[in-house]
């Protein structure tokens, strides 16, 4: 299995972190979990053929987890020739969200469709999920489990199993016993985290935000109980703790809370290879990327 952290940020605007999105490559099956801002760009920068990313699982429907979907749905279709529809899984309300997106882009659906852009490939099959196995194909099993995310509920985490390897994504949640139980002994847990300056922590409007995400101390509790082979932070929310300083502070707080196992701070386009060992690979340079500007079938023209 291979996990690519496409976007490791929250809704905050920062120079180096796009909106939350995680790609899991399990035996060649590409499963995308959430589609935050810039997901299409990060897929391209990660050397992923974007026309092959057609299976999307949503943890919940907050805007910062869905706002990249329209570009991923529309642009690879008309520009790059995606030749198959998309499939989407998500909590109650996902079908309405997809219908609204299609209404918003009705002009494109009508006017871009032609003999080179078959409108049938814009179709989206939606499955609204509950706790349990939501995907089982070609040896890959995806299990959804409910978590608590305050004004983002219903919210889910996911466990992906393939050939005796397992990856658990917490989604957006405060401390969750479900993350512990589904993550116990997993090869990899990708977990959200939140940290704020003292000033922000004391601000009344930040109370509900802190209550729906996981503090470094709560994350330490999860990792101590679950004992994954590797833990990685993503959906990293920081207030007045910019850049590497804030990242280092989060790590210090986790260690001070008693977790001393393998742990990495996630960065956009970081790759985690899950096999006999779990290897964390830093993002590769984008300097030699070629433009993706046409349908492959018509490249000669």
């Amino acid at each position: 299995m291979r996990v690519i952290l496409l976007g490791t940020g929250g809704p905050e605007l920062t120079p180096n972190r796009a909106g939350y999105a995680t790609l899991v490559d399990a035996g060649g099956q590409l499963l995308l979990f959430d589609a935050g801002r810039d997901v299409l760009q990060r897929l391209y920068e990660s050397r992923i053929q974007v026309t092959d990313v057609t299976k999307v699982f949503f943890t919940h429907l907050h805007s910062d987890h869905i706002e990249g979907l329209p570009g991923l749905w529309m642009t690879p279709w008309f520009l790059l020739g995606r030749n198959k529809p998309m499939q989407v899984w998500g909590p109650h309300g996902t079908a309405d969200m997809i219908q609204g997106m299609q209404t918003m882009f009705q002009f494109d659906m009508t006017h871009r469709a032609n003999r080179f852009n078959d409108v049938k490939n814009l179709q989206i099959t939606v499955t609204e999920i509950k706790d349990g196995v939501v995907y089982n194909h070609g040896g890959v099993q995806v299990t959804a489990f409910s978590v608590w995310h305050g004004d983002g509920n219903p919210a889910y985490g996911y466990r992906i199993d393939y050939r005796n390897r397992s990856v658990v994504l917490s989604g957006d949640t405060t401390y969750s016993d479900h993350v512990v139980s589904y993550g116990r002994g997993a090869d990899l847990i990708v977990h959200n985290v939140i940290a704020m300056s003292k000033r922000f922590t004391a601000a009344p409007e930040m109370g509900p935000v802190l209550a729906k995400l996981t503090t470094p101390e709560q994350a330490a509790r999860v990792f101590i109980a679950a004992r994954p082979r590797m833990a990685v932070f993503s959906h990293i929310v920081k207030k007045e703790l910019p850049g590497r300083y804030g990242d280092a502070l989060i790590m210090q707080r986790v260690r001070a809370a008693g977790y001393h196992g393998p742990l990495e701070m996630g960065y956009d386009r970081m790759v985690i290879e899950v096999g006999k060992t779990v290897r964390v690979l830093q993002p590769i340079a984008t300097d030699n990327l070629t433009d993706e500007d046409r349908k492959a079938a018509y490249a000669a023209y």
Side-chain angles (χ1 to χ4, degrees):
M1 297 177 75
R2 188 169 64 121
V3 177
I4 304 176
L5 307 182
L6 297 168
T8 57
E12 296 77 17
L13 301 178
T14 72
N16 301 312
R17 285 193 166 107
Y20 180 80
T22 304
L23 186 75
V24 177
D25 179 349
Q29 295 187 51
L30 300 181
L31 310 180
L32 178 65
F33 293 85
D34 286 336
R37 69 177 185 276
D38 291 339
V39 63
L40 182 61
Q41 179 73 16
R42 288 295 192 259
L43 284 165
Y44 158 65
E45 292 170 348
S46 299
R47 279 75 169 176
I48 300 297
Q49 184 62 48
V50 296
T51 53
D52 292 338
V53 181
T54 60
K55 297 176 180 179
V56 185
F57 298 77
F58 287 108
T59 60
H60 64 294
L61 300 180
H62 269 154
S63 61
D64 57 308
H65 291 253
I66 67 174
E67 63 187 294
L69 180 65
L72 179 63
W73 168 59
M74 182 62 66
T75 303
W77 169 71
F78 77 81
L79 181 67
L80 304 175
R82 189 185 65 239
N83 60 5
K84 55 186 173 182
M86 296 186 74
Q87 298 170 268
V88 169
W89 292 258
H92 178 69
T94 300
D96 288 343
M97 181 267 288
I98 293 296
Q99 184 177 12
M101 181 182 73
Q102 291 169 323
T103 299
M104 181 177 179
F105 285 83
Q106 189 60 52
F107 188 91
D108 283 78
M109 294 178 70
T110 301
H111 291 268
R112 289 194 192 272
N114 54 42
R115 67 190 181 96
F116 304 109
N117 303 323
D118 193 333
V119 72
K120 74 182 182 191
N121 295 321
L122 280 180
Q123 295 174 1
I124 302 176
T125 301
V126 179
T127 302
E128 293 198 339
I129 64 173
K130 295 182 179 179
D131 287 57
V133 175
V134 297
Y135 179 89
N136 196 343
H137 178 74
V140 179
Q141 181 173 285
V142 179
T143 305
F145 53 89
S146 56
V147 294
W148 183 260
H149 187 46
D151 59 13
N153 292 330
Y156 290 88
Y158 289 98
R159 175 178 170 124
I160 305 95
D161 288 282
Y162 176 68
R163 290 189 174 180
N164 297 318
R165 304 299 179 197
S166 56
V167 173
V168 171
L169 310 177
S170 74
D172 280 14
T173 181
T174 186
Y175 173 87
S176 171
D177 286 331
H178 280 178
V179 176
V180 172
S181 59
Y182 282 92
R184 189 166 281 118
D187 292 287
L188 173 67
I189 294 180
V190 180
H191 209 292
N192 85 85
V193 69
I194 186 170
M196 301 183 183
S197 67
K198 291 181 179 180
R199 186 177 76 91
F200 258 77
T201 300
E205 68 270 23
M206 289 296 107
V209 180
L210 283 166
K212 65 181 179 180
L213 292 169
T214 302
T215 66
E217 291 74 21
Q218 290 172 326
R221 287 177 56 200
V222 171
F223 302 150
I224 290 168
R227 301 185 66 181
R229 294 173 68 199
M230 174 66 69
V232 176
F233 282 130
S234 189
H235 195 273
I236 298 158
V237 173
K238 298 182 295 180
K239 308 287 189 184
E240 293 190 330
L241 299 175
R244 298 282 177 158
Y245 163 75
D247 294 350
L249 183 61
I250 288 172
M251 295 289 280
Q252 290 170 14
R253 287 175 57 180
V254 173
R255 298 309 190 192
Y259 178 68
H260 301 290
L263 175 63
E264 293 280 344
M265 201 62 155
Y267 297 99
D268 287 15
R269 298 186 297 105
M270 178 182 280
V271 177
I272 304 103
E273 293 181 347
V274 179
K276 290 183 179 179
T277 61
V278 180
R279 294 201 307 155
V280 177
L281 309 178
Q282 298 304 313
I284 58 176
T286 59
D287 298 343
N288 62 347
L289 275 174
T290 58
D291 292 352
E292 293 284 336
D293 57 5
R294 65 201 182 280
K295 296 176 176 63
Y298 305 104
Y301 302 96

